[in-house]
Amino acid sequence: MIIIKEGLYWVGIVDWNLRTFHGHQLSTPQGSSYNSFLIKDEKIALVDTVWGPFAGEFIANLAQNIDLNKIDYIVMNHNEPDHSGALPALMAKIPDTTIITSPKGKETLQELYHQNWNFKVVQTGDVLSLGRRELQFIEAPMLHWPDTMFTYLTKDNVLMCNDAFGMHLASASLFDDESNIKQVLQEAAKYFANILTPFSKQVVRKLDELMALELPLDIIAPSHGILWRSHIDKIIELYYRWARGQSHDRIIIFYDSMWEATSKMAHAMAKGLRASGIDYKIVNLAVSDCNDVITEAFLARGILVGSPTFNRGYLPTIAPFVAEIKGLGLQKKVAAVFGSYGWSGEAVGLLEDQLEESGIKILQEGLRCKFQPSEEELKDCQEFARRFAHKFKEE
Ligand code: FEO
């Protein structure tokens, strides 16, 4: 148990060994944490629990610091199993405790755990007095599940917002100003890119609503990673930027190659971008983590995608990348496509179709090269990138 403010404690779990999340969908090389908060006032409230595998440790830690029977309320801001997994084991010990959650939260818990718990459903604007302080509830549907809500603790001015503003990062530190802020912001961007991007419109609306409430904010306390207290304005500004699809003037060249031909094209394109004074990066999709790649694409405004033709399509290593781009709905990107081929050469056209279907603007017709690029064709690649860079700057 770590003291955050007098009567407010962190009682979560740091998961140092987590390497993938959502099963194997999301890479988490820095581990994660499941933040849970205990508020001791005249009434006692626990806000969120932790993932099921940690239920025993979580409950044992909690029981060392408080008589579990004295917990009056368990507030469940969001019920995905990483936050609700320990709830059944906790409720088995204190079955009459009131669970406070959103209308969708009650439905979700019932469908996940099939228990007839004592629910108190709350909606935006509802307030619960704990004695000296109050809990104010703000529904935040689709940030990122329909059940999501935020809980604001008055007087201490702490917004407990579950996944929003969070990041998968195991850390010995609890606060942003005790941490490597560059790493914290990078992990927060990865979290947004891979989880919150499809709900960007809801994020902007919720931020506007939050700002209009003019709640004093001493701490923003997400359910994963570090808590914000010294970079609150910064993370709110970044959330606005990310949710509005505002990215950096950078072009990422994503490619894979079979016999180095597409690789040579990619590197020739990089020369063209360099000559145009564009910030760029080359990423070989075959040796890169898909979620990190998506984060790169999310943060950059331009993408060049290269694949040789393979079995009348593009390489299987490219497929997860284009599928994620489509599923996430990355906004305000421009692209062009290139690749080598031996005889049929469908990859470039198929990739252009995929990107266009994903809402990405194709700035110019793709460039193909048969078998290995000649010196002349490599110059064409440079020129292709220069033309792309010129259009990119004008967009
Ligand atoms: Fe951290 Fe959506 O659960």
Side-chain angles (χ1 to χ4, degrees), residues 21-22 33-34 78-83 143-145 147-148 162-163 168 191 195 223-224:
F21 185 78
H22 285 156
S33 64
Y34 316 105
H78 168 46
N79 298 289
E80 196 165 2
D82 52 322
H83 307 294
L143 265 79
H144 67 123
W145 271 22
D147 68 335
T148 304
N162 206 272
D163 287 332
H168 287 304
Y191 196 93
I195 292 183
S223 57
H224 298 291

Side-chain angles (χ1 to χ4, degrees), residues 172-284:
S173 311
L174 191 57
F175 289 104
D176 51 354
D177 48 31
E178 303 165 340
S179 309
N180 174 342
I181 194 63
K182 200 172 163 194
Q183 182 187 41
V184 169
L185 291 171
Q186 179 61 30
E187 291 301 329
K190 179 174 177 177
Y191 196 93
F192 192 109
N194 287 276
I195 292 183
L196 289 172
T197 303
F199 312 111
S200 292
K201 281 184 184 152
Q202 288 95 330
V203 171
V204 172
R205 278 203 296 271
K206 190 51 57 182
L207 287 172
D208 285 346
E209 190 185 316
L210 264 183
M211 295 301 103
L213 290 173
E214 296 184 345
L215 298 170
L217 288 176
D218 290 358
I219 296 172
I220 292 180
S223 57
H224 298 291
I226 65 90
L227 279 48
W228 305 96
R229 69 178 173 193
S230 295
H231 299 81
I232 288 176
D233 291 347
K234 176 76 179 169
I235 192 62
I236 289 173
E237 179 205 328
L238 282 171
Y239 257 54
Y240 265 122
R241 278 185 60 87
W242 295 337
R244 288 174 173 148
Q246 293 166 344
S247 48
H248 299 295
D249 274 344
R250 180 186 304 149
I251 295 171
I252 314 288
I253 303 171
F254 298 102
Y255 79 100
D256 190 13
S257 200
M258 293 168 74
W259 294 104
E260 297 297 315
T262 303
S263 172
K264 286 175 191 166
M265 294 177 79
H267 285 82
M269 300 228 169
K271 283 186 187 170
L273 296 182
R274 193 181 311 135
S276 303
I278 294 274
D279 181 21
Y280 71 93
K281 186 169 180 176
I282 305 177
V283 176
N284 181 340

Side-chain angles (χ1 to χ4, degrees), residues 7-22:
L8 172 63
Y9 307 89
W10 178 89
V11 290
I13 291 284
V14 179
D15 187 350
W16 294 97
N17 295 328
L18 189 77
R19 291 296 174 268
T20 62
F21 185 78
H22 285 156

